[in-house]
Amino acid sequence: MSSLFPALSSPAAERPALRFGPRSLTYAGLAAASGALAGRLRGAGRVAVWATPELETAVAVTGALLAGVAAVPLNPKSGERELAHILADSAPSLLLAAPGAELPASAGDLPLLEVDAYATGTVPEDTYDDEDPALVVYTSGTTGPPKGAVLPRRALATTLDALADAWQWTGDDVLTHALPLFHVHGLVLGVLGPLRRGGEVRHLGRFAPEGAARALESGATMLFGVPTMYHRLAEALPGDPGLAKALAGARLLVSGSAALPVHDHERIAAATGRRVLERYGMTETLMNTSVRADGEARPGTVGVPLPGVELRLVEDDGTEVTARDGESVGEIQVRGPNLFTGYLNRPDATAAAFTADGWFRTGDVAVREADGYVRIVGRKATDLIKSGGYKIGAGEIENALLELDSVREAAVTGEPDPDLGERVVAWVVPTDPEVPPSLEELASHVAGRLAPNKRPRVLRLLSALPRNDMGKVMKRSLGTGS
C-alpha cells in the first residue's frame, strides 16, 4: 500500500506539522524524530504509548506506524485495574512515554523507552500490507473489561481519505483541538488526519473557549470537539463577540463522539452564522457517516454514509428497515474497508459483533430521512425505549427537553412499567436548582413538540449528569431509581 504519511518524505519538509503549546515540529523534524524511533522499534511487536497530550505521543504513534508496529494508546487517567487488564491483554514489548512521565505501578514491569521528539533519523520505506495492525484501541467496557479493537492500516487510510473527500480537507488546513490522544477522535482524526493530508495540528492542551478563539484567530481553519466543548462555546458566545468572530472565521466546525444537542447547534449558528457539522463513528468502525462540507448541516443528523461505507438499518429479527421517513427505527449495521479486523484475543466477541454476511452490529439505533441523512436516536441497550407498542429514541426527547430555559442538562432512559412495558424517565439538571421544572411542564412540552406517547412519565432531578472523559452521559450509572 502507499505510505500513510506521504508528507514526511515530501519536498515541503519545512512546513509546520505539530504544535503542542510552545513546542512544535516541522515535517522535517517529525520525519527525523519518528524515523529515528522507527529504527529502534522494528520487529518490536505491539508497543504501548502513554498518550499524554504532548509532542512525544504524536512522535511515538507515528514512529510505530513507520516501523510497522501496532501501537496501543493508553489513557493516563486509567485506574490501576483497567490499566493492568489492558497491559496483560495486549502484551506490549515496550512502553513509549515522554521523558519524565509519571507512570503507575502497574506499568512498572514493562521496559520503558523514552521518546526523543528531537532525535534525528530517516523515514524507512513503507512495505507493509493493508491488513497489518496499526492500532489496538480499547473500548470502554460497559458489560465487562475493555476489549482491544485491532485497527488495520487500511482502516486508517480509507477513513481519513473519505473524510478528506467529505470535508474538502487539504494540506492547507490547520486543525485545532483539545481532544485526548487515547481515543480515535483525538488520535486518528485529530493527529493522524492532518499528518496524512500534509497539514498542521495545533493541540490546545486543556479546552477553553478563549484558547479555541486564539487558535482560530491565528490561522487555524478547522476545530474538532465533543458536545461538552461546543456547549461551553455556546454558553460563552453571548458575552464574547471576539469568540463569535473567531468561530465565524473557521472553515469547518466538527463535533463528534456523542450527539450535539440541537439547542447548542442553534445557539452557535445564531451567534456566528456557522453550522457545526456532525459525523458518526465508533472505535471498531472509525468513521461511518458525516455531514459533508458542501452539504446541509442539518442539526440532529450525522449526514450520509462516507465513500466506501455501506449502511443499513435492521429490526430485532434482522429484517431491513427500508423506509426513509424519519420515523422508522432500526439498528445501524455497517460494512466497508473502515472496519476493524476483530477484538484482540476475543474471537467470541468478534464473531458476535458481525452478521453472517459481514455486517458489523453497531448497537446504535437510528432513522433515515428521505434524502438518506441519518439521525441517531441512541444506543440500542440504553436509548431505545419500547413503550405502549412504540419504539422511542431517547435522543429526540433529550433535544426537546433542552429547548426549555429551565433545563440545563437532560438525559432520558426507560424503566419497567406494568402497563406500557417501559415508561419514559427524564433525568434533568435544572438551570436554577431553586426553581426546577415540573414533570407537567416537561411532559406538556414534549407532547406538543413530538408526540404524546413520547412524553416523560417520571422526572428525576440531579445536580450533574455522570459523564465519561469524552463527554458522553453514562446512562448505566443513572440506574432506574425508585
Side-chain angles (χ1 to χ4, degrees):
M1 68 178 289
S2 60
S3 170
L4 283 172
F5 309 114
L8 289 182
S9 52
S10 74
E14 294 307 319
R15 292 187 63 170
L18 301 166
R19 177 173 293 281
F20 285 75
R23 304 172 67 216
S24 63
L25 282 175
T26 64
Y27 273 91
L30 177 59
S34 58
L37 181 59
R40 301 180 67 180
L41 296 181
R42 286 279 191 175
R46 285 185 290 274
V47 296
V49 177
W50 195 245
T52 51
E54 298 177 87
L55 274 181
E56 285 78 7
T57 298
V59 171
V61 174
T62 307
L65 292 172
L66 291 178
V69 171
V72 184
L74 301 177
N75 178 358
K77 296 181 180 179
S78 289
E80 286 281 346
R81 177 181 293 182
E82 180 176 280
L83 184 60
H85 162 74
I86 291 172
L87 292 176
D89 189 57
S90 60
S93 61
L94 291 170
L95 174 59
L96 309 183
E102 295 183 11
L103 302 173
S106 54
D109 294 334
L110 198 56
L112 174 65
L113 176 57
E114 292 189 336
V115 176
D116 183 353
Y118 304 104
T120 57
T122 57
V123 175
E125 182 182 356
D126 190 334
T127 59
Y128 311 111
D129 187 79
D130 285 4
E131 296 302 310
D132 286 348
L135 299 172
V136 181
V137 182
Y138 278 78
T139 63
S140 54
T142 55
T143 57
K147 300 187 292 290
V150 181
L151 295 167
R153 298 171 75 88
R154 55 114 171 117
L156 270 60
T158 55
T159 275
L160 294 176
D161 292 348
L163 290 177
D165 176 84
W167 296 343
Q168 300 170 4
W169 192 354
T170 74
D172 293 329
D173 279 305
V174 177
L175 169 63
T176 188
H177 69 86
L179 298 163
L181 302 188
F182 45 85
H183 285 295
V184 296
H185 191 174
L187 180 60
V188 177
L189 275 62
V191 174
L192 305 185
L195 297 183
R196 182 159 175 81
R197 301 271 71 81
E200 181 183 357
V201 57
R202 300 178 186 172
H203 199 281
L204 298 171
R206 293 181 64 84
F207 178 81
E210 54 270 24
R214 282 195 301 271
L216 292 169
E217 288 166 350
S218 62
T221 62
M222 302 166 69
L223 173 66
F224 287 0
V226 297
T228 300
M229 297 173 181
Y230 281 104
H231 177 73
R232 292 176 186 169
L233 291 171
E235 293 275 286
L237 277 168
D240 191 343
L243 176 62
K245 182 179 179 182
L247 292 174
R251 188 181 74 79
L252 216 60
L253 305 173
V254 182
S255 180
S257 296
L260 179 62
V262 172
H263 180 54
D264 288 333
H265 268 287
E266 299 296 355
R267 290 197 292 173
I268 292 169
T272 68
R274 299 300 310 276
R275 287 285 187 185
V276 179
L277 306 188
E278 289 193 84
R279 86 299 179 283
Y280 161 62
M282 301 177 67
T283 302
E284 294 91 338
T285 67
L286 296 183
M287 294 302 108
N288 298 310
T289 74
S290 181
V291 173
R292 296 182 59 88
D294 56 1
E296 179 190 354
R298 194 177 304 160
T301 73
V302 292
V304 296
L306 290 167
V309 178
E310 297 178 78
L311 182 147
R312 70 182 184 184
L313 304 183
V314 298
E315 299 274 10
D316 290 343
D317 62 3
T319 304
E320 185 169 356
V321 177
T322 57
R324 296 191 177 193
D325 55 8
E327 290 290 337
S328 300
V329 176
E331 181 191 4
I332 299 173
Q333 295 184 353
V334 293
R335 190 165 63 177
N338 55 312
L339 266 62
F340 75 142
T341 53
Y343 295 112
L344 188 67
N345 304 324
R346 291 292 305 275
D348 55 334
T350 302
F354 287 89
T355 66
D357 51 350
W359 293 83
F360 176 74
R361 312 174 200 268
T362 67
D364 292 315
V365 287
V367 300
R368 293 187 87 170
E369 299 182 355
D371 56 4
Y373 269 56
V374 177
R375 179 161 53 85
I376 296 171
V377 297
R379 290 291 292 168
K380 186 176 180 180
T382 56
D383 295 317
L384 185 62
I385 303 164
K386 297 178 180 178
S387 181
Y390 293 95
K391 290 181 181 179
I392 300 170
E396 61 180 345
I397 303 175
E398 290 162 356
N399 275 323
L401 293 174
L402 289 167
E403 294 171 351
L404 294 167
D405 292 338
S406 57
V407 175
R408 184 176 184 82
E409 296 182 80
V412 167
T413 62
E415 68 180 25
D417 183 276
D419 180 46
L420 297 170
E422 286 186 292
R423 55 180 171 261
V424 176
V425 180
W427 303 78
V428 167
V429 177
T431 302
D432 182 353
E434 299 298 320
V435 190
S438 66
L439 176 61
E440 291 72 20
E441 176 189 354
L442 302 184
S444 175
H445 178 73
V446 171
R449 177 75 171 79
L450 300 174
N453 65 293
K454 298 179 181 180
R455 70 187 185 276
R457 311 282 179 141
V458 179
L459 169 62
R460 297 203 172 93
L461 298 172
L462 299 171
S463 58
L465 294 176
R467 296 181 184 271
N468 66 13
D469 50 30
M470 294 298 282
K472 293 182 181 179
V473 176
M474 297 185 292
K475 291 193 175 180
R476 292 182 188 276
S477 299
L478 291 172
T480 56
S482 57

